[in-house]
């Protein structure tokens, strides 16, 4: 039965609802009945069989649905091995232990968002404040999802953890997975690059909701802090396992061989440029020889004559003709 459970739910096409019976409608009672046309925002509806039928998983969002899908896939992969009839009792026991193994939330992500609650020393008052914040944490998770936020996937830890040796202090933790830029945009050139994501707008929005509690009075504090996996406090880990330290990338120094090759290429380019300038200079000297001199003088005379003709006006032409007593000047052209 358990193997079929993982098999069916892993391949279930959400948001098609899961229900045991067809919903009944009793007109006299006039209770609200779950309707797929009215409740289009439900991502993974599981409908209760009793009247009035309601969605028991209305709190599931994109982040928690991703966690559910991942665990259902893992459950099917492990439980499918139980179908082998040749397994021994010890092997079957190992499979069950692997299936029931607890997740270590604080080893699965590289970045976390800590929401720390503190304030009054009165436990009753603090528990009321804690319950209020806990009921609103869903809105913080939703504000970190599309269409409000892109480039990050938020996975909430299901409960708050108490700080040791501190009275009335608890913290919620959200796992943050920043997607690569290639996943955000269909761009092959951006493969593997991580884009910066600004989550301050989501935090500001959530702060505005929390500050409404008791009119902002009571001395309660709600602090937000970004924590990497290696800097998590020791009291969040249930056992001795710790996240692996991140390796710093070392910049590669240019080797002496490559440097020598590049210097040799530069020297070769300088020599070729020098040879080219020498050839150009020799060509210029040859062109300035005695054969080309008359042409240059003639060309210069023509050009100066043409320029002089252009600068003479019609009135000056008549004056010159009158003084010279010759025929009107003709255009050399």
């Amino acid at each position: 039965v358990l193997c079929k459970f993982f098999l069916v739910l892993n391949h279930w096409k959400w948001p098609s609802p899961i229900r045991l019976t067809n919903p009944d409608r009793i007109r006299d009672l006039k209770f609200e009945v779950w309707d797929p046309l009215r409740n289009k925002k439900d991502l993974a509806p599981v409908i209760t069989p009793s009247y009035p039928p309601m969605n028991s998983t209305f709190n599931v969002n994109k982040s928690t649905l991703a966690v559910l899908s991942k665990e259902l896939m893992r459950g099917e992969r492990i439980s499918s091995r139980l179908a082998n009839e040749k397994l021994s009792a010890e092997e079957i026991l190992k499979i069950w232990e692997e299936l029931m193994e607890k997740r270590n939330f604080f080893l699965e992500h590289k970045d976390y968002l800590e929401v720390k609650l503190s304030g009054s020393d009165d436990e009753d008052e603090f528990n009321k404040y804690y319950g209020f914040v806990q009921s609103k944490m869903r809105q913080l998770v939703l504000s970190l999802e599309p269409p409000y936020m892109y480039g990050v996937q938020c996975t909430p830890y299901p409960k708050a953890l108490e700080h040791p040796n501190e009275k009335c202090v608890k913290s919620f933790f959200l796992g943050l997975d920043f997607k690569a830029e290639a996943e955000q945009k269909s761009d092959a050139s951006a493969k593997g690059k991580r884009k910066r994501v600004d989550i301050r707008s989501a935090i500001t929005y959530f702060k505005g909701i929390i500050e409404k509690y008791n009119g902002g009075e009571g001395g309660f504090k709600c602090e937000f802090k970004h924590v990497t996996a290696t800097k998590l406090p020791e009291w969040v880990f249930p056992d001795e396992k710790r996240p692996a330290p991140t390796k710093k990338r070392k910049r590669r120094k240019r080797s002496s061989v490559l440097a020598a090759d590049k210097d040799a290429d530069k020297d070769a380019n300088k020599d070729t440029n020098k040879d080219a300038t020498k050839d150009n200079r020799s060509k210029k000297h040859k062109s300035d020889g005695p054969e080309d001199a008359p042409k240059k003088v003639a060309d210069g005379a023509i050009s100066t004559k043409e320029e002089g003709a252009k600068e003479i006006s019609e009135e000056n032409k008549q004056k010159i003709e009158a003084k010279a007593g010759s025929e009107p000047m003709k255009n050399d052209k």
Side-chain angles (χ1 to χ4, degrees):
V1 174
L2 189 62
C3 294
K4 288 184 178 179
F5 168 80
F6 286 116
L7 177 64
V8 172
L9 287 186
N10 185 34
H11 297 280
W12 191 266
K13 294 182 180 180
W14 304 108
S16 299
I18 295 177
R19 50 190 173 194
L20 300 176
T21 59
N22 292 325
D24 296 328
R25 294 181 181 275
I26 303 175
R27 296 181 179 178
D28 296 338
L29 297 179
K30 296 181 180 180
F31 282 110
E32 185 178 354
V33 177
W34 186 85
D35 189 354
L37 298 177
R38 293 180 181 176
N39 306 96
K40 293 182 180 180
K41 293 183 179 180
D42 293 345
L43 300 179
V46 179
I47 310 305
T48 57
S50 59
Y51 183 85
M54 296 184 296
N55 179 19
S56 59
T57 56
F58 70 96
N59 274 330
V60 173
N61 51 45
K62 293 180 180 179
S63 301
T64 52
L65 181 60
V67 176
L68 287 172
S69 301
K70 183 180 177 181
E71 289 299 312
L72 290 171
M73 187 183 298
R74 172 180 169 273
E76 185 193 0
R77 186 184 70 252
I78 297 172
S79 61
S80 61
R81 286 185 270 161
L82 295 170
N84 188 0
E85 298 178 355
K86 297 181 181 180
L87 293 174
S88 62
E90 293 181 357
E91 291 175 338
I92 293 174
L93 183 60
K94 287 183 179 179
I95 293 173
W96 279 106
E97 288 178 353
E98 183 182 356
L99 183 63
M100 300 300 175
E101 185 180 2
K102 291 183 179 180
R103 291 177 56 221
N104 195 337
F105 175 79
F106 296 100
L107 298 178
E108 296 178 353
H109 308 277
K110 293 182 180 180
D111 300 273
Y112 294 87
L113 177 64
E114 181 185 0
V115 183
K116 183 180 177 182
L117 307 179
S118 59
S120 175
D121 292 335
D122 188 351
E123 292 187 3
D124 293 334
E125 291 295 327
F126 178 77
N127 288 332
K128 290 179 182 179
Y129 177 69
Y130 160 72
F132 173 78
V133 177
Q134 186 181 27
S135 65
K136 302 298 180 182
M137 284 297 296
R138 181 170 178 264
Q139 298 189 31
L140 175 59
V141 177
L142 289 174
S143 63
L144 291 169
E145 294 180 352
Y148 310 106
M149 189 76 63
Y150 290 92
V152 62
Q153 183 175 347
C154 176
T155 306
Y157 193 64
K159 61 180 180 180
L161 300 178
E162 294 183 1
H163 288 234
N165 303 324
E166 291 186 69
K167 188 178 180 181
C168 297
V169 181
K170 292 184 178 181
S171 288
F172 292 97
F173 287 91
L174 306 175
L176 302 177
D177 294 316
F178 296 98
K179 300 178 182 179
E181 195 170 352
E183 297 177 18
Q184 301 175 43
K185 300 177 182 179
S186 57
D187 186 4
S189 63
K191 188 176 181 181
K193 295 181 180 179
R194 294 180 69 184
K195 187 179 179 181
R196 288 189 176 183
V197 180
D198 191 355
I199 62 173
R200 287 178 294 181
S201 59
I203 293 174
T204 304
Y205 165 74
F206 187 68
K207 274 185 175 180
I209 297 173
I210 299 304
E211 288 173 356
K212 294 179 182 178
Y213 177 78
N214 200 17
E217 298 179 358
F220 297 104
K221 292 182 180 180
C222 183
E223 300 173 330
F224 298 82
K225 184 180 179 182
H226 170 246
V227 187
T228 57
T230 55
K231 293 183 180 180
L232 286 168
E234 290 291 328
W235 46 267
V236 303
F237 298 101
D239 50 28
E240 296 180 354
K241 293 182 180 180
R242 297 292 182 273
T246 55
K247 295 181 180 180
K248 294 183 178 180
R249 294 182 180 180
K250 295 182 179 179
R251 294 182 178 179
R252 294 182 180 178
K253 294 183 178 179
R254 189 175 65 172
S255 62
S256 58
V257 178
L258 292 175
D261 293 340
K262 288 186 176 181
D263 293 337
D265 293 338
K266 287 181 179 179
D267 294 338
N269 291 331
K270 287 181 180 179
D271 295 337
T272 53
N273 292 332
K274 287 180 180 179
D275 295 337
T277 52
K278 287 181 180 179
D279 294 338
N280 292 331
R281 287 176 181 176
S282 61
K283 288 179 182 180
K284 286 182 179 180
H285 288 302
K286 289 180 181 179
S287 63
D288 293 338
E291 295 179 357
D292 296 335
K295 290 183 180 179
K296 281 200 168 188
V297 173
D299 293 340
I302 292 169
S303 62
T304 52
K305 194 172 183 181
E306 289 177 353
E307 290 172 2
K310 289 180 182 177
E311 292 175 358
I312 297 172
S313 62
E314 293 294 330
E315 295 178 359
N316 292 333
K317 281 183 181 180
Q318 293 176 3
K319 290 180 181 179
I320 294 170
E321 289 173 1
K323 287 182 179 180
S326 61
E327 298 179 357
M329 293 180 65
K330 295 181 180 179
N331 192 352
D332 294 331
K333 293 182 180 179

